[in-house]
């Protein structure tokens, strides 16, 4: 049997064997023909014969994915050493994007990595990352179509335009398949949960002048909950020695001026007349909570969404003649994800509902009836109102296709095409409504001491919800969105003229793009018909045009210079206008086995659609209202404050902290609102790389590459805390009170009057503590700067022995520089070893594959370096490094069938124990995972 065939461990590896066969055939052909085939590589549009360019390109083949135990594109990309940044992930269910998966190269945001398929842009995920910026959802890329993934880290705007500041990921799809394959797999974890299954058909044929390739894929993954892992299936797993290891107060009525804060648990919590399948009555002495009602919520959290997806990929080419051909390729994927919401219902919250209400039936400290109720909350477990216990649903659909004509005109290669990418998104979850809250509280029985009097239906509040009763006090809140791009491109590449050292090659490229995005929340969210729920609106379109040129100049036989220049023009409402970028690099080959390389490039990123076209974004925040706190300090010292009503200020100052005479503190709760800003300009930067590749022999080759990335004018949200602090500086005279800065800042803050009254953005009357802010308007600004630098090291080779062939690869990344400037006037701060830096400063991987005839065994080891724990700043310690190992066995049975058995996370490694992390999942979810050991058995049959 041909040993190359062993690489075809699954349909994912088809293109590897095809490329090997193609290379062998090409070698034979080149013996009789002088013409050398040119290829296009990521990081350049010039077709060339030499794969090595001026920048480092990492490649993950489909065979690598199988050998490593990866079942999707995201797993493969998150394993590269450059992916060292902290992400949000599925565990962060409170984020805007818990149904998506993102990539952060070099510790920079996902918006700074350009994701391409066959060199074409994908549509953005409609929901902005962190509510602020656009990114590509890597979970919506069909695995079965992937031939290889090229990763260039560093700037590439002069080649690809906007977004290519931290790097470029180019996913190359399968082409030229000459057989048909069916592939099926099933997997489960070491705890008997989290089942995975998939079925794939991959194939292709060639007939006369027509070529056709296809890939059909179905995948299903069961959900994982925190209770599926002993690492966090109980409150007793909380590693923080200071944590309160007690049953949660899941259903609570909190009153003031009472012996104990918690009320009504004895009457309604899982009582004989009001049974609850999970809630138990328990007593908590601390903070005078008293008799409480709840359950251990630790096991209810989401660890991984349930996912079901179907995708189809096609590629076709029709040769009109020997020089010209028509092409079309594309994919469609439809995915449904379901996760946990464990929604938190606020029957009453003093800051949401404007103070406390009076319950005339609660016994107070004086022994009489009547007390103010400050809070009413309850956790609604998803299994209460759904059959499968999954109350949050995401439906995503993505389409991407590319059609055109390509060929040769004389000695030049050309391509003209049109591509479209489209992404549709819908999300649904249950949330408490204001109408339901009015039903729960019932009619108002007058007022006591200015507080409305209610007798809520506590029996309903403490009872388990059913699908019917849930709809009495709640409803489905929805989000839907769409993003798209339409792009026309044309390029030509070839040799211009001869120099003594060789031909000067060039590529010319033009592009015209129309792109748009929309993210629309349920109108009831914006109209505040849901209790304490806010949303984000984004809608807009823009046109972009670009022209680019590249040159490859052989100065000598050993020394080549590459130069690129590009101009992007934005036709939209922003102040970007035009954005020129350039790149200059060289390769020097003093001997055949050694290549020295370096490149310098300027980069840019146009403002994301969400930061420009965001119509409204709302949230709830809190911060130190230092102006009012200082007034409280003066009141405490002098008994009165000019400009303030003494009685009103005295009531507000009940919660002030004056323990630090240098920094008075009054924590205020408020609504934060923000909107897009059309005056934003582009983010700019530059990237420098330098390194070498040395191939001693087929047994040993290695590369060392240094990188330095600078991004300036980064778009950031002007936070509420920053606004309140600037207003304090204006009030103290640190900033000129008459300056435009102070005037603009003052206009961003709305405060309650001396009677504690205000008007929200919808015109509704609201109340709170006198003089404190109830609304702070945030915004986007070009302000910050980051600098990231480090070294990439790679070592690889193979050994042929009598015992088989051994292939190995080692990759390591060490961050040497990490600096940032938050505001334009701030000094540049070194944060490499700062205790707030939660990006990994060193990452590594090692793979070893043994192959002999029909059998192979592969081992992949992944390393993430030390990371700070979550102790108070200044007291943090480093957690130990994290190691994981994947093991894969492959075996052919006859000529047409192969079995692959993979074990991911062989040693069931859990995240490092952090005794300072007292909240689920008891580790930083953006840096680690607690999925643990998984087994996957795969069978592939060729027919």
């Amino acid at each position: 049997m041909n040993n190359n065939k062993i690489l075809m461990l699954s349909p994912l590896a088809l293109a590897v064997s095809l490329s090997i066969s193609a290379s062998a055939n090409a070698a034979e052909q080149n013996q009789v023909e002088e013409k050398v085939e040119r290829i296009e590589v990521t990081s350049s549009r010039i077709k060339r014969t030499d794969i090595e360019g001026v920048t480092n390109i990492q490649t993950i083949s489909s065979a690598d994915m199988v050998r490593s135990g990866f079942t999707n594109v995201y797993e493969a990309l998150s394993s590269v050493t450059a992916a060292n940044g902290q992400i949000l992930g599925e565990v962060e269910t409170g984020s805007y994007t818990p149904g998506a998966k993102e990539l952060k190269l070099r510790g920079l945001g996902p918006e700074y990595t350009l994701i391409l398929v066959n060199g074409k842009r994908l549509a953005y995920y409609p929901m902005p990352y962190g509510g602020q910026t656009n990114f590509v959802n890597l979970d919506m890329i069909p695995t079965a179509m992937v031939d290889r993934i090229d990763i260039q880290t560093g700037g590439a705007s002069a080649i690809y335009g906007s977004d290519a500041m931290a790097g470029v990921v180019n996913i190359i799809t399968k082409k030229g398949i000459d057989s048909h394959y069916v592939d099926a797999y099933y997997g489960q974890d070491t705890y008997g949960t989290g089942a995975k299954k998939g079925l794939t058909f991959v194939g292709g044929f060639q007939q006369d002048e027509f070529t056709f390739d296809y890939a059909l894929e179905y995948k299903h993954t069961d959900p994982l909950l925190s209770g599926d892992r002993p690492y966090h299936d109980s409150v007793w797993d909380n590693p923080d020695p200071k944590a309160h290891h007690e049953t949660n107060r899941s259903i609570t009525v909190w009153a003031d001026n009472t012996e104990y804060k918690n009320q009504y648990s004895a009457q309604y919590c899982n009582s004989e007349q009001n049974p609850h399948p999970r809630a138990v009555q328990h007593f908590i002495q601390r903070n005078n909570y008293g008799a409480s009602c709840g359950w251990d919520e630790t096991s209810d959290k989401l660890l991984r969404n349930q996912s079901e997806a179907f995708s189809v990929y096609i590629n076709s080419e029709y040769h009109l003649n020997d020089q010209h051909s028509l092409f079309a390729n594309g994919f469609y994927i439809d995915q449904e994800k379901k996760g946990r919401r464990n929604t938190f219902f606020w029957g009453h919250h003093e800051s949401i509902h404007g103070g406390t209400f009076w319950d005339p039936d609660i016994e107070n400290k004086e022994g009489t009836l009547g007390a103010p109720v400050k809070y009413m909350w309850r956790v609604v477990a998803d299994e209460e109102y759904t059959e499968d216990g999954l109350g949050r649903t995401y439906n995503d659909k993505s389409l991407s296709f590319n059609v055109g004509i390509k060929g040769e005109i004389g000695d030049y290669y050309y391509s003209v095409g049109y591509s479209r990418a489209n992404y549709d998104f819908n999300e649904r979850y249950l949330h408490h409504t204001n109408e339901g809250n009015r039903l729960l509280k019932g009619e108002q029985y007058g007022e006591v001491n200015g507080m409305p009097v209610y007798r809520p239906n506590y029996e309903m509040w403490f009872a388990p919800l059913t699908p019917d009763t849930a709809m009495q006090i709640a409803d489905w809140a929805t989000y839907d969105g769409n993003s798209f791009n339409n792009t026309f491109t044309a390029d030509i590449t070839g040799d211009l003229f001869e120099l003594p050292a060789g031909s000067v090659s060039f590529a010319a490229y033009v592009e015209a793009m129309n792109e748009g995005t929309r993210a629309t929340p349920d109108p009831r969210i914006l109209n505040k018909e849901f209790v304490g729920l806010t949303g984000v609106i984004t809608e807009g379109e823009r046109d972009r045009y670009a022209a680019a040129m590249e040159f490859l100049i052989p100065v000598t036989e050993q020394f080549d210079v590459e130069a690129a220049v590009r101009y992007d023009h934005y036709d939209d409402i922003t102040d970007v206008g035009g954005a020129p970028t350039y790149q200059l690099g060289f390769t020097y080959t003093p001997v055949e086995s050694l290549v020295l390389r370096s490149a310098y490039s300027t980069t840019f990123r146009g403002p994301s659609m969400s930061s420009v076209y965001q119509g409204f974004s709302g949230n709830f925040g809190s911060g130190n209202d230092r102006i009012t706190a200082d007034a409280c300090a003066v009141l405490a010292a002098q008994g009165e404050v000019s400009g303030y009503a003494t009685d009103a200020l005295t009531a507000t100052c009940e919660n002030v902290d004056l323990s630090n005479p240098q920094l008075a503190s009054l924590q205020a709760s408020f609504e934060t609102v923000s909107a897009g800003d059309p005056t934003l300009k582009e983010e700019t930067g530059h990237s420098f790389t330098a390194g070498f590749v040395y191939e001693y022999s087929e047994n040993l080759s290695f590369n060392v590459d240094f990188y330095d990335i600078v991004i300036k004018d980064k778009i950031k949200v002007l936070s509420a805390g920053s606004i309140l602090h600037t207003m304090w500086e204006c009030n103290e005279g640190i900033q000129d009170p008459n300056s435009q800065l102070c005037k603009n800042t003052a206009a961003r803050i709305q405060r309650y009057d001396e009677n504690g009254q205000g008007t929200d953005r919808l015109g509704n009357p609201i109340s709170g503590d006198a003089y404190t802010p109830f609304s702070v308007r945030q915004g986007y600004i070009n302000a910050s700067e980051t600098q990231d630098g480090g070294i990439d090291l790679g070592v690889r080779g193979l050994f042929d022995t009598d015992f088989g062939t051994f292939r190995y690869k080692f990759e390591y990344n060490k961050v040497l520089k990490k600096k940032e400037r938050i505001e334009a006037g701030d000094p540049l701060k070194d944060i490499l070893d700062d205790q707030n830096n939660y990006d990994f400063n060193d990452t590594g991987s090692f793979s070893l594959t043994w192959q002999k005839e029909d059998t192979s065994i592969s081992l992949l080891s992944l390393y993430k370096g030390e990371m700070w724990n979550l102790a108070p700043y200044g007291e943090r310690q480093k957690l130990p490094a994290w190691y994981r190992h994947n093991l894969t066995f492959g075996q052919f049975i006859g000529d047409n069938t192969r079995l692959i058995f993979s074990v991911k996370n062989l040693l069931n490694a859990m995240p490092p124990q952090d005794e300072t992390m007292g909240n689920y999942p008891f580790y930083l979810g953006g840096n680690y995972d607690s999925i643990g050991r998984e087994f996957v058995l795969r069978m592939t049959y060729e027919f």
Side-chain angles (χ1 to χ4, degrees), residues 128 131-132 536-539 609-617 674-677 780:
Q132 299 178 23
V536 178
I537 291 180
T538 303
E539 186 169 10
M609 301 286 283
S610 59
S611 63
V612 175
Y613 294 103
Q614 190 177 89
F616 168 79
S617 172
S674 63
D677 189 344
Y780 293 94

Side-chain angles (χ1 to χ4, degrees), residues 3 9 115 165 184 238 243 302 317-318 386 468 571 604 634 733:
N3 284 341
L9 292 176
I115 309 293
M165 303 185 84
N238 191 326
L302 180 72
E317 186 171 343
Y318 180 76
T386 64
D468 292 334
D571 184 5
F604 92 102
V634 174

Side-chain angles (χ1 to χ4, degrees), residues 748-782:
R748 293 179 178 273
I749 303 172
Q750 291 181 280
R751 295 177 178 272
Y752 293 111
D753 62 20
E754 65 180 52
N755 298 314
Q757 300 299 309
T759 304
D760 70 8
R761 57 182 170 80
L762 297 179
N764 300 317
I766 55 176
S767 59
D769 293 335
Y771 305 115
T772 62
F774 63 81
S775 176
V776 179
R777 180 168 54 86
Q778 302 178 139
Y780 293 94
I781 58 171
N782 291 97

